[in-house]
Amino acid sequence: MSRLLTVGAAQMGPIQRAETRSQVVARLLDLLHQAHSRGCNLVVFPELALTTFFPRWLLEDANELDAFFEKSMPNADVQPLFDEAKRLGIGFYLGYAEIAEEEGRSCRFNTAILVAPNGDLIGKYRKIHLPGHAEYEPQRPFQHLEKRYFEIGNLGWPVWRAFGGIMGMAICNDRRWPETFRVMGLQGVELVMLGYNTPEFNAAIVEPGYHRMMHHYLTCQAGAYQNGTWVVATAKAGVEEGCMLIGGTCVVAPSGELVAVASTLGDELLSYTMDLDATVPIKTSVFNFAKHRRTEHYGMIVERTGAILPPA
Amino acid sequence: MSRLLTVGAAQMGPIQRAETRSQVVARLLDLLHQAHSRGCNLVVFPELALTTFFPRWLLEDANELDAFFEKSMPNADVQPLFDEAKRLGIGFYLGYAEIAEEEGRSCRFNTAILVAPNGDLIGKYRKIHLPGHAEYEPQRPFQHLEKRYFEIGNLGWPVWRAFGGIMGMAICNDRRWPETFRVMGLQGVELVMLGYNTPEFNAAIVEPGYHRMMHHYLTCQAGAYQNGTWVVATAKAGVEEGCMLIGGTCVVAPSGELVAVASTLGDELLSYTMDLDATVPIKTSVFNFAKHRRTEHYGMIVERTGAILPPA
């Protein structure tokens, strides 16, 4: 038995601040056409795929900040992508900054949507693990103000039956947290799609730059293996407004093996044909959760947020 | 600031069934002396370090089975190890099969203890994630009857202040489960000690043999990084009663980097000097749990044991 799915991981090079939405969408369309020519059923675009990674700046003017957000999706600028994907019969994951009117106020989220080959919206995910900080930190060469500009995602990690399997979404820093993958794993996820913008330089800690890529692969591979799921992780990469973003767009098999990796820091369509049934051997043996998990010993994972040390 | 600790990972080659406890303890003493000569403060011996890995056989005779278990610890056979470690001022982690009289009956556990340099028992851990199966499976070239011979550990994953830091223990298959590391991470663990007996051939699934080592490193590295802890993992390795056990005894830094690996499949003392303060940068930045964890979205991790799929 096999359930084949050809996925395109549509890595993007940098998006400079002066680039317009139309210019960006033209790049997405080019990647979409490459995906079509390689038989892809599904394309995974990066996190915040329509703009530069604006949390690197303190933006105190509300209009200046709002310009990076989408008030509706699709909107006029992005409509050509939706139209062309529908015409080609390709579904896609797209990350963008979202303003939503909820509970009588404007809420900002770091969001990804999953769109079906027929153009229908399948689902939405709003980033839960926001990294960085909320206040301006003058000692940083660039800011990472995700905690200032976005609210914590309020949709959990749902999964959806689509593309012949069970699909889940996460965004960037979410991959570092095993809880992210486990919550989807407990719903039988077979493919986790994840877009990211990861700076090579981590201002929060002194560490060698190569650790950034190691951590990216490590957490994607562990999340895949420990839940028996495919992972497609797509970068925005290269030097964006003077800040180097790691590439490393990749496909990870349910065995945890890294089976495809992008080779540039620019716009690059990495395509891979995966068998969703390759999830079954892992999910029914070593990670047969029903047989092996011991939830009576896991309580602390939800009972405490921060670490509590033993008495000195 | 630095808190240096020199640890010896005392990998063992195979223990054949005919080998006596005294013969095994002589090997442990030799490894202990090597550790002393390299300045180790702490030695990590493997899982079930006193006997062959007996769950590979169906043992229906209770006396035959009990012969692999320790009714007290230390006991006459193991006392020389305790005495010599105390004389040298070296603490140790030791894995063994335990029979305990609890609640009016004999309970069998796959156990590890942590002994202080002065000979005091610091703590005990009983393996929670028992792999394998409970019933004889004739199609297997060898059995993996841990679920038959051992009860689920009933001590959780406590941590202890010792050796200048916060110490935790796990055993073999526990390392594959991010919950193991997270529960200790939520108590500030700085060094996770783990012994293992991992067959190269996994009868439960068709997979390439090199995946077994990949999975071992992957899960140790992810557990270390995602909790900002050192990990010392010690194998029983080599061809034991016709069954190849992987080696790969290793030390993983809190960055997730593999910083030392054994190079044989035999008795080998791998020593490494670690700075327990190297845990601090990770624990206070990317894995500052208090700042970044979102427990309101983690409920499923304890609310369900097995996966529940979305409606078809």
Side-chain angles (χ1 to χ4, degrees), chain A residues 100-232:
Chain A
E101 298 300 320
E102 290 190 0
E103 298 173 9
R105 63 187 181 85
S106 293
C107 306
R108 292 184 176 83
F109 297 103
N110 187 340
T111 294
I113 50 170
L114 182 61
V115 176
N118 70 359
D120 288 350
L121 180 71
I122 294 171
K124 179 181 281 190
Y125 169 71
R126 290 167 171 165
K127 187 173 181 178
I128 287 173
H129 292 109
L130 297 171
H133 49 107
E135 300 305 321
Y136 181 73
E137 296 188 358
Q139 79 284 7
R140 286 176 179 257
F142 52 85
Q143 303 295 301
H144 201 116
L145 289 162
E146 287 195 61
K147 284 197 195 287
R148 182 184 191 90
Y149 296 146
F150 302 117
E151 298 187 30
I152 304 293
N154 57 359
L155 302 174
W157 285 282
V159 301
W160 298 271
R161 287 193 184 267
F163 302 96
I166 301 177
M167 306 285 121
M169 295 192 275
I171 299 177
C172 196
N173 182 50
D174 281 321
R175 72 193 181 294
R176 301 185 195 273
W177 299 85
E179 292 89 347
T180 300
F181 289 98
R182 185 61 97 224
V183 169
M184 289 187 273
L186 285 165
Q187 301 169 80
V189 75
E190 296 176 320
L191 170 58
V192 173
M193 295 162 279
L194 177 137
Y196 60 99
N197 284 243
T198 298
E200 185 169 75
F201 176 72
N202 180 0
I205 183 177
V206 178
E207 67 180 357
Y210 77 91
H211 277 195
R212 298 291 274 172
M213 191 68 93
M214 186 260 282
H215 293 156
H216 159 60
Y217 290 145
L218 176 62
T219 54
C220 288
Q221 291 181 267
Y225 171 58
Q226 290 171 330
N227 296 280
T229 181
W230 290 92
V231 173
V232 173

Side-chain angles (χ1 to χ4, degrees), chain B residues 141-169:
Chain B
F142 51 85
Q143 305 295 301
H144 200 116
L145 289 163
E146 288 195 59
K147 284 197 195 288
R148 184 184 190 90
Y149 297 145
F150 301 117
E151 299 188 30
I152 305 294
N154 58 359
L155 302 174
W157 286 282
V159 301
W160 299 271
R161 287 192 185 268
F163 303 96
I166 301 177
M167 306 285 120
M169 294 192 276

Side-chain angles (χ1 to χ4, degrees), chain A residues 235-249:
Chain A
K236 178 135 63 67
V239 182
E240 190 179 89
E241 297 291 345
C243 171
M244 173 62 96
L245 302 174
I246 66 166
T249 290

